Amino acid sequence: MGKTAGLDRNDVVTAALDLVEREGPGALTMRRLATDLAVATPTIYWHAGSRDELVAEVVRAQSRRFAERPVEGTTPRARVLSAAMNMYLGSIEHRAITSLAHQSGTASVLAHPLEVAIVAELEAAGLTGEACAEASRAILMAITGALVLALRDPSRIPAEHRPANLWAGSDAAVSAETRAALGAEADLDAIARTTISAVVDHFVPARARSRRGAA
Amino acid sequence: MGKTAGLDRNDVVTAALDLVEREGPGALTMRRLATDLAVATPTIYWHAGSRDELVAEVVRAQSRRFAERPVEGTTPRARVLSAAMNMYLGSIEHRAITSLAHQSGTASVLAHPLEVAIVAELEAAGLTGEACAEASRAILMAITGALVLALRDPSRIPAEHRPANLWAGSDAAVSAETRAALGAEADLDAIARTTISAVVDHFVPARARSRRGAA
DNA sequence: ACCTGAACACCGTTCAAGT
DNA sequence: ACCTGAACACCGTTCAAGT
């Protein structure tokens, strides 16, 4: 049947985004998506081009969605940290699309609007040009590391590779007390905040060096 | 032919590691590996179990190989940073296996020996137990972020998604000067060092708080 | 114990053919 | 312009069968 299914490129992208959010990045196959849209597989190609193109569109679509989170705080450091945590927490909230973006090398696209907010706060704190770029890249590094560690799927890691097991082995160079602490569960959100904060504080002076108007 | 090929589990793992180092993680398929070993595909399964098991073994094998890099520096901060940079630089040196480990969720296994060295330096700097674990996790976050950004394959990122393009668009909130700096090429090794150093300095006091003998 | 040919259930992608 | 059936070249994995 189906001379025309009335499908839109946008419908395909939206369906793909829904699929990923509901069932994870692994569920996004061209055949599965076609089934969800009650259409034959090549139809997806007609609308979306290829899987890579589709994934890029999905990431762009989500990217547009989390543009606006309010930045809080009164000191420059607090505001930059707030903007940075917006990126971390927003990405965690949409962990499936974030994972997809990391796998497909489009993480920078996904994070761009959140990064703009960070850079804007850095400028408000008095950093511009090269200094601002360096600070923003360092902060992005910290956030990226935090995300990668926080988004690791524990169920995919076999028991023998888990920290508790890795550190239980007799590492002569490390005390038993520390080994025990390293084997225990970690509060990654808290460590993320501490780490990102350390990097922010390294680049942003405790007090703003200049004040900027709306221009 | 081939009643027996004289194949060993170890031969399979070694061949897999070679293959990954020569042609990247994408080249590691069971059929390709079988061809390299002049054997039929199911033979790989007989020796290695499954692809996941094989990848885990490959990562463990590489992990054993880069245990020993000398830690340099005289102050605690310098020594911790040196150990941390050993992990960053060692991973970059074996980027193909590092990528494979990240994809397969075995990054912690690969990095373990290098992490032991970092933890040992943290203890030498006077941090033990919970405090030591927190510091080491934060440092690992910074290193992980640095690695992910440094190992991104530029050729896989389409031109339109590259920083230069992302920042060229009129982001009203950011000055033109800063946009230009953000669009330019970055020295990721230098930024990695700065970022990791900022995190190390946050946890390790400028002077050691206690001295430890060889015991 | 060690190895193989053949098959199964998946992928992404293409293409001639239909309306 | 929009959609499909059928096929191609790949995957990981299994299994009966050989020596």
mmCIF file of all heavy atoms in Angstrom, chain B residues 30-46:
data_model
loop_
_atom_site.group_PDB
_atom_site.id
_atom_site.type_symbol
_atom_site.label_atom_id
_atom_site.label_comp_id
_atom_site.label_asym_id
_atom_site.label_seq_id
_atom_site.Cartn_x
_atom_site.Cartn_y
_atom_site.Cartn_z
ATOM 1 N N MET B 30 35.882 -10.177 13.878
ATOM 2 C CA MET B 30 36.249 -11.570 14.059
ATOM 3 C C MET B 30 36.709 -12.188 12.735
ATOM 4 O O MET B 30 37.653 -12.977 12.698
ATOM 5 C CB MET B 30 35.057 -12.346 14.622
ATOM 6 C CG MET B 30 34.510 -11.755 15.915
ATOM 7 S SD MET B 30 35.747 -11.605 17.217
ATOM 8 C CE MET B 30 35.380 -13.044 18.218
ATOM 9 N N ARG B 31 36.061 -11.807 11.646
ATOM 10 C CA ARG B 31 36.436 -12.358 10.338
ATOM 11 C C ARG B 31 37.814 -11.869 9.897
ATOM 12 O O ARG B 31 38.634 -12.639 9.402
ATOM 13 C CB ARG B 31 35.377 -11.971 9.300
ATOM 14 C CG ARG B 31 34.104 -12.814 9.387
ATOM 15 C CD ARG B 31 33.040 -12.253 8.455
ATOM 16 N NE ARG B 31 31.855 -13.111 8.379
ATOM 17 C CZ ARG B 31 30.875 -13.110 9.271
ATOM 18 N NH1 ARG B 31 30.947 -12.310 10.319
ATOM 19 N NH2 ARG B 31 29.843 -13.916 9.131
ATOM 20 N N ARG B 32 38.053 -10.578 10.094
ATOM 21 C CA ARG B 32 39.326 -10.012 9.695
ATOM 22 C C ARG B 32 40.462 -10.642 10.500
ATOM 23 O O ARG B 32 41.505 -11.009 9.952
ATOM 24 C CB ARG B 32 39.303 -8.499 9.898
ATOM 25 C CG ARG B 32 40.647 -7.814 9.748
ATOM 26 C CD ARG B 32 41.154 -7.943 8.311
ATOM 27 N NE ARG B 32 42.559 -7.624 8.212
ATOM 28 C CZ ARG B 32 43.063 -6.402 8.120
ATOM 29 N NH1 ARG B 32 42.247 -5.374 8.079
ATOM 30 N NH2 ARG B 32 44.356 -6.206 8.048
ATOM 31 N N LEU B 33 40.237 -10.784 11.796
ATOM 32 C CA LEU B 33 41.250 -11.367 12.667
ATOM 33 C C LEU B 33 41.526 -12.814 12.251
ATOM 34 O O LEU B 33 42.683 -13.253 12.185
ATOM 35 C CB LEU B 33 40.761 -11.314 14.115
ATOM 36 C CG LEU B 33 41.724 -11.802 15.189
ATOM 37 C CD1 LEU B 33 43.039 -11.044 15.140
ATOM 38 C CD2 LEU B 33 41.074 -11.663 16.565
ATOM 39 N N ALA B 34 40.460 -13.547 11.924
ATOM 40 C CA ALA B 34 40.619 -14.929 11.467
ATOM 41 C C ALA B 34 41.466 -14.975 10.198
ATOM 42 O O ALA B 34 42.391 -15.793 10.077
ATOM 43 C CB ALA B 34 39.251 -15.558 11.227
ATOM 44 N N THR B 35 41.172 -14.078 9.265
ATOM 45 C CA THR B 35 41.946 -14.019 8.032
ATOM 46 C C THR B 35 43.415 -13.766 8.325
ATOM 47 O O THR B 35 44.304 -14.435 7.777
ATOM 48 C CB THR B 35 41.393 -12.909 7.117
ATOM 49 O OG1 THR B 35 40.008 -13.129 6.912
ATOM 50 C CG2 THR B 35 42.116 -12.914 5.783
ATOM 51 N N ASP B 36 43.700 -12.800 9.200
ATOM 52 C CA ASP B 36 45.088 -12.494 9.567
ATOM 53 C C ASP B 36 45.797 -13.719 10.130
ATOM 54 O O ASP B 36 46.993 -13.906 9.928
ATOM 55 C CB ASP B 36 45.130 -11.364 10.610
ATOM 56 C CG ASP B 36 44.908 -9.994 9.978
ATOM 57 O OD1 ASP B 36 44.483 -9.957 8.809
ATOM 58 O OD2 ASP B 36 45.162 -8.981 10.650
ATOM 59 N N LEU B 37 45.050 -14.539 10.860
ATOM 60 C CA LEU B 37 45.647 -15.716 11.483
ATOM 61 C C LEU B 37 45.539 -16.948 10.589
ATOM 62 O O LEU B 37 45.897 -18.061 10.992
ATOM 63 C CB LEU B 37 44.989 -15.979 12.834
ATOM 64 C CG LEU B 37 45.354 -14.980 13.950
ATOM 65 C CD1 LEU B 37 44.379 -15.074 15.104
ATOM 66 C CD2 LEU B 37 46.780 -15.221 14.433
ATOM 67 N N ALA B 38 45.028 -16.760 9.370
ATOM 68 C CA ALA B 38 44.892 -17.854 8.404
ATOM 69 C C ALA B 38 44.099 -19.012 8.981
ATOM 70 O O ALA B 38 44.506 -20.178 8.942
ATOM 71 C CB ALA B 38 46.271 -18.322 7.935
ATOM 72 N N VAL B 39 42.928 -18.679 9.489
ATOM 73 C CA VAL B 39 42.120 -19.640 10.215
ATOM 74 C C VAL B 39 40.655 -19.319 9.944
ATOM 75 O O VAL B 39 40.335 -18.216 9.509
ATOM 76 C CB VAL B 39 42.514 -19.520 11.722
ATOM 77 C CG1 VAL B 39 41.438 -18.858 12.526
ATOM 78 C CG2 VAL B 39 42.956 -20.850 12.268
ATOM 79 N N ALA B 40 39.742 -20.252 10.182
ATOM 80 C CA ALA B 40 38.324 -19.962 9.969
ATOM 81 C C ALA B 40 37.756 -19.190 11.162
ATOM 82 O O ALA B 40 38.262 -19.298 12.285
ATOM 83 C CB ALA B 40 37.546 -21.256 9.775
ATOM 84 N N THR B 41 36.714 -18.407 10.912
ATOM 85 C CA THR B 41 36.187 -17.519 11.952
ATOM 86 C C THR B 41 35.835 -18.221 13.267
ATOM 87 O O THR B 41 36.195 -17.734 14.344
ATOM 88 C CB THR B 41 34.967 -16.749 11.419
ATOM 89 O OG1 THR B 41 35.297 -16.185 10.146
ATOM 90 C CG2 THR B 41 34.585 -15.639 12.374
ATOM 91 N N PRO B 42 35.149 -19.343 13.220
ATOM 92 C CA PRO B 42 34.777 -19.962 14.512
ATOM 93 C C PRO B 42 35.976 -20.346 15.378
ATOM 94 O O PRO B 42 35.823 -20.487 16.597
ATOM 95 C CB PRO B 42 33.990 -21.210 14.077
ATOM 96 C CG PRO B 42 33.469 -20.876 12.737
ATOM 97 C CD PRO B 42 34.544 -20.044 12.087
ATOM 98 N N THR B 43 37.134 -20.497 14.763
ATOM 99 C CA THR B 43 38.332 -20.814 15.552
ATOM 100 C C THR B 43 38.626 -19.713 16.572
ATOM 101 O O THR B 43 39.034 -19.991 17.708
ATOM 102 C CB THR B 43 39.547 -20.994 14.621
ATOM 103 O OG1 THR B 43 39.256 -22.032 13.691
ATOM 104 C CG2 THR B 43 40.787 -21.356 15.408
ATOM 105 N N ILE B 44 38.384 -18.465 16.145
ATOM 106 C CA ILE B 44 38.575 -17.337 17.064
ATOM 107 C C ILE B 44 37.672 -17.518 18.286
ATOM 108 O O ILE B 44 38.100 -17.312 19.425
ATOM 109 C CB ILE B 44 38.258 -16.004 16.363
ATOM 110 C CG1 ILE B 44 39.050 -15.865 15.064
ATOM 111 C CG2 ILE B 44 38.534 -14.845 17.309
ATOM 112 C CD1 ILE B 44 40.526 -15.746 15.268
ATOM 113 N N TYR B 45 36.439 -17.915 18.028
ATOM 114 C CA TYR B 45 35.506 -18.100 19.134
ATOM 115 C C TYR B 45 35.954 -19.223 20.062
ATOM 116 O O TYR B 45 35.792 -19.143 21.264
ATOM 117 C CB TYR B 45 34.094 -18.369 18.592
ATOM 118 C CG TYR B 45 33.446 -17.126 18.057
ATOM 119 C CD1 TYR B 45 33.666 -16.707 16.749
ATOM 120 C CD2 TYR B 45 32.639 -16.345 18.870
ATOM 121 C CE1 TYR B 45 33.091 -15.548 16.267
ATOM 122 C CE2 TYR B 45 32.054 -15.183 18.394
ATOM 123 C CZ TYR B 45 32.285 -14.794 17.089
ATOM 124 O OH TYR B 45 31.725 -13.646 16.624
ATOM 125 N N TRP B 46 36.494 -20.250 19.443
ATOM 126 C CA TRP B 46 36.950 -21.368 20.271
ATOM 127 C C TRP B 46 38.019 -20.896 21.260
ATOM 128 O O TRP B 46 38.000 -21.255 22.432
ATOM 129 C CB TRP B 46 37.496 -22.507 19.388
ATOM 130 C CG TRP B 46 37.496 -23.798 20.127
ATOM 131 C CD1 TRP B 46 36.499 -24.723 20.145
ATOM 132 C CD2 TRP B 46 38.524 -24.277 20.992
ATOM 133 N NE1 TRP B 46 36.834 -25.746 20.977
ATOM 134 C CE2 TRP B 46 38.061 -25.516 21.512
ATOM 135 C CE3 TRP B 46 39.765 -23.796 21.382
ATOM 136 C CZ2 TRP B 46 38.826 -26.284 22.409
ATOM 137 C CZ3 TRP B 46 40.527 -24.543 22.273
ATOM 138 C CH2 TRP B 46 40.050 -25.775 22.767
#
